[in-house]
Amino acid sequence: MNTPDLAPVQEARASVTAPRAEIVVVAHEPGPWFAETLASIASQDYPRVAVTVLIAGGEPDLEEQIAAAIPEADVQRIEPSFGYGRSANEVLTDDSPPAFYLFCHDDVSLAPDALRLLVEEAIRSNASVTGPKLVDWDRPDELHEVGLDVDKLGHVASRVEVGERDQEQHDAVTDVFAVPGAVQLVRGDLFHALGGYDDAMGVIGEDVDFCWRAHLAGARVMVVPSAVARHRAAMGERRSSAAVERLRERHRLRTLLSVYGVVHSIRVIPQALVYSLLRAVGALVTGHFSRAGSALGAWAWNLTRPRSLWERRRTLRRVRKVPDREIRPLQVGGFAPVSAFLRGQFADDGGGGSLAARSRNLLRSLRSGPSRVSLGFWVALVAVLAFGSRHLMTRRVPVVGDLVPFDMGPRELFERWFDSWWSTGTGHEAAAPTAYGIVGALGVVFGGFMGLLRTVLTLGMLPIGAVGMWRLLRPFASPWIRVIGTLMYATSAVPYNALVNASWSALWLYGLLPWVLAGLGRAARVAPDRKSTRLNSSH
């Protein structure tokens, strides 16, 4: 007796009972890898799936390439300036949305069963947002992301280490705070209820923002490691690192300013402001001006869009079902950047990146001649400056000439800066000097200790100028060039005459000039900042 083949019947039954899914791909000037992305989508074994490809810029023959790989795909050309979030939101015009959307970047390759496993787990666990295990495009045994952790300020903390091998150590289905937007399965009704992704966000930060709002709506977010996708992570090929950092800070702050309720906003937003100020000061001291601009520019970018933020908050109030106090346990404690730094620096993994390895490298380098010269020079220079300025540091800097007293706190300085009446002399209507705002902001950084700030702005120009000259001479390989150049600059009569004549402008010119010259040299790529013209002490 022959047993009938039931496979076609079972397949037909599955195609009827399986919830409808739609794969949405936003293609923004994709590279040669896009053919493999399309092939992986066409190979999905899910029975009821439609494919929509949104082309946001690219070669004119992209439609033909997509039609050849996925003949039934719905291909639409959209404005390249939309950004990923607004581009993906084109599906919000669907009159009958599917049960699930699978949003994909144009640089991923899905395993044939990825969509099916994500949908099955979403139904089994009643999850509204699920994501796969992301591995490296060229090295599939190397993990990229297995879900994302997020702290209270919106900083993302990866759940895997850089270069970590996939040994099934993260293969348990887990609740997470967010899943990467490279591949993200979302329930159709939730996506429409939340209004999709934030239109103002591009491809950076929109995934965390959406998952955060999903949590507030009572949805469950999970990572399904049995579903696998290779991720090329081609962002660095399309945007500079400075642009990525700038967008990340803007979008992270936009999320913070819109998702928290009133009570938690009062508690968290000041912490975010202090963090940005400290980060900006640290970046300025180390010469990373673009990072300082990103930290402070994010506030300016967001605060100049109050209507957009207000609309987001009002929309979220309509769907909010979970209070902030229940969201907080889902986030990681502390500050994710600090934790990541400590974890990366103190873990002795033998890779040279730990604090122990760096300490060994430092001690090894200090045994060499050039490092001993540099170290000895800086110890001597600091000792001379500290001894020569001991009375000005331990006593009060005299109030004479330009060295005016700082007898107002940050609040009064800001009030005078914003006031249209300048009360100098008999008073008149005029804009207050910008220095009021600058000194007020620095006063906030110094915790209101205006006397300490005044001392630093006076005596601090001496070491700041010396450090700036040391950095300016960094392209020269010889330590003797840096030592002699910095010594000549530190012993010039300019800053000391400025102190005698109580001229703050001359002091600040001395302290900031090397930093400005170094920045101009790097921007213009003139010698010796060009790699090809670096000098070597052996020549």
Side-chain angles (χ1 to χ4, degrees), residues 153-155 248-256 275-276:
L153 298 185
H155 295 109
R248 181 182 293 113
E249 286 300 302
R250 287 179 178 179
H251 299 164
R252 178 186 66 83
L253 185 58
R254 180 174 173 84
T255 299
L256 280 187
Y275 173 84
S276 297

Side-chain angles (χ1 to χ4, degrees), residues 23-27 34 37 41 51-55 102 104-106:
I23 300 177
V24 181
V25 182
V26 178
F34 191 50
T37 298
I41 293 174
V51 179
T52 298
V53 182
L54 304 170
I55 303 177
L102 182 68
C104 299
H105 291 183
D106 60 17

Side-chain angles (χ1 to χ4, degrees), residues 77-162:
R77 282 232 175 225
I78 57 178
E79 285 292 330
S81 60
F82 278 2
Y84 180 81
R86 186 175 175 185
S87 299
N89 286 349
E90 289 293 306
V91 301
L92 292 175
T93 59
D94 293 344
D95 295 330
S96 56
F100 294 96
Y101 289 112
L102 182 68
F103 295 100
C104 299
H105 291 183
D106 60 17
D107 59 349
V108 297
S109 177
L110 306 173
D113 58 354
L115 175 58
R116 176 174 55 83
L117 293 173
L118 289 173
V119 172
E120 288 177 354
E121 189 59 46
I123 296 174
R124 182 184 303 114
S125 301
N126 193 26
S128 298
V129 183
T130 56
K133 172 169 60 180
L134 295 180
V135 297
D136 187 80
W137 181 277
D138 298 314
R139 298 178 297 278
D141 61 338
E142 184 176 305
L143 294 171
H144 265 196
E145 298 292 352
V146 189
L148 298 172
D149 289 331
V150 179
D151 69 6
K152 61 183 175 182
L153 298 185
H155 295 109
V156 175
S158 178
R159 305 179 74 240
V160 300
E161 301 294 335
V162 177

